[in-house]
Amino acid sequence: MANTRHTGLALLVATCLASGLHAETGEEIANRLCADCHGEFGRSETRDIPSIGGFSEYAIIDLLETYRLGFRKARTITLDDGSENDMQRVVDALSADEVDAVAYYYSEQEWRPRAQPFDAELARRGAAIHSRKCGKCHPKGGSEADADHALLAGQWRDYLAQELRNFTSGERRMADKMKKNFDTLSEGDKDALLELYVSAGKY
């Protein structure tokens, strides 16, 4: 009887190996579900889609969770082949283990700030505002991955500007602590913060 069970298990394992069945790695999941929009290694080539390679594991998991919980509205993206996708579909397709795997994969990538034109005077003003209003949760001008928040320094301008508009309109929800500070910002303050983040600290 024992031999029969062992033989059956061996056949099952052999069948799985032969058919190529295996749990996907984080890299495989990223290439299948994320790279079309967020780019190879999480380095977006599209100005209104964020780079995510180099975010911490927690930041990626939290990002995905905001869509799952409805805190953020998914925007439909048309891919190069004409098909459409959005973050809600991606989140719905991921198991908890797959979320962990893809989060770890992106956390292992190098963050590469995007070189973009910026207003140095406004960036310096933004640095002072950031220090007072944002620096506690987003240290070093939003460049510290270990803070477990989205990296802001060197992120695409178009994406950051859109997210600031979404926060202002209420389309994207904020944690209470962030909202308390965000609501004190003038439009000029937001413009200055945007220049700081686009500058990647090189003002």
Side-chain angles (χ1 to χ4, degrees), residues 11 23 32 49 60 67-68 74 81 90 92 100 114 122 144 148 153 166 171 193-194 196:
L11 286 173
R32 176 168 61 85
I49 296 176
I60 294 291
Y67 286 103
R68 190 182 72 79
D81 63 3
V90 171
D92 290 343
D100 290 344
R114 286 291 178 178
L122 264 184
E144 184 58 65
D148 287 336
N166 290 342
E171 183 172 330
L193 286 170
L194 179 60
L196 167 66

Side-chain angles (χ1 to χ4, degrees), residues 130-145:
H130 177 91
S131 179
R132 294 195 311 271
K133 302 287 187 178
C134 317
K136 192 169 183 178
C137 294
H138 299 276
K140 298 182 182 178
S143 66
E144 184 58 65

Side-chain angles (χ1 to χ4, degrees), residues 9 11 46 50 57 61 71 93 143 169 171 187 198:
L9 179 60
L11 286 173
T46 307
E57 287 182 72
I61 293 169
F71 292 170
S143 66
S169 69
E171 183 172 330
E187 289 306 309
V198 171

Side-chain angles (χ1 to χ4, degrees), residues 7-202:
T7 300
L9 179 60
L11 286 173
L12 177 61
V13 170
T15 300
C16 290
L17 290 173
S19 63
L21 295 177
H22 67 286
E24 281 187 295
T25 65
E27 181 177 8
E28 288 169 335
I29 297 165
N31 288 336
R32 176 168 61 85
L33 291 177
C34 313
D36 282 344
C37 292
H38 292 286
E40 188 177 17
F41 308 117
R43 298 170 194 148
S44 170
E45 298 295 333
T46 307
R47 293 177 179 274
D48 62 349
I49 296 176
S51 292
I52 56 176
F55 282 24
S56 73
E57 287 182 72
Y58 179 84
I60 294 291
I61 293 169
D62 185 59
L63 181 155
L64 295 172
E65 191 74 352
T66 61
Y67 286 103
R68 190 182 72 79
L69 294 175
F71 292 170
R72 296 176 72 173
K73 183 178 178 182
R75 178 165 54 97
T76 300
I77 303 295
T78 301
L79 304 178
D80 290 341
D81 63 3
S83 64
E84 294 183 338
N85 203 0
D86 63 62
M87 283 299 300
Q88 193 63 56
R89 295 183 203 177
V90 171
V91 170
D92 290 343
L94 291 170
S95 69
D97 287 344
E98 288 171 329
V99 166
D100 290 344
V102 79
Y104 177 76
Y105 168 73
Y106 280 125
S107 75
E108 290 292 292
Q109 306 312 307
E110 179 187 1
W111 174 252
R112 293 187 181 177
R114 286 291 178 178
Q116 303 167 82
F118 62 90
D119 184 316
E121 184 177 349
L122 264 184
R124 286 190 288 272
R125 182 180 168 221
I129 296 166
H130 177 91
S131 179
R132 294 195 311 271
K133 302 287 187 178
C134 317
K136 192 169 183 178
C137 294
H138 299 276
K140 298 182 182 178
S143 66
E144 184 58 65
D146 288 343
D148 287 336
H149 292 291
L151 291 170
L152 303 173
Q155 186 60 268
W156 281 121
R157 172 187 293 278
D158 290 0
Y159 170 74
L160 290 172
Q162 182 60 57
E163 291 308 293
L164 284 170
R165 290 192 292 270
N166 290 342
F167 282 131
T168 300
S169 69
E171 183 172 330
R172 181 174 173 186
R173 291 174 58 183
M174 293 174 271
D176 289 343
K177 183 189 295 186
M178 178 177 173
K179 181 171 173 55
K180 182 178 179 181
N181 286 336
F182 189 88
D183 286 347
T184 67
L185 298 174
S186 68
E187 289 306 309
D189 291 340
K190 295 171 194 174
D191 290 343
L193 286 170
L194 179 60
E195 294 307 310
L196 167 66
Y197 302 143
V198 171
S199 78
K202 293 179 168 53

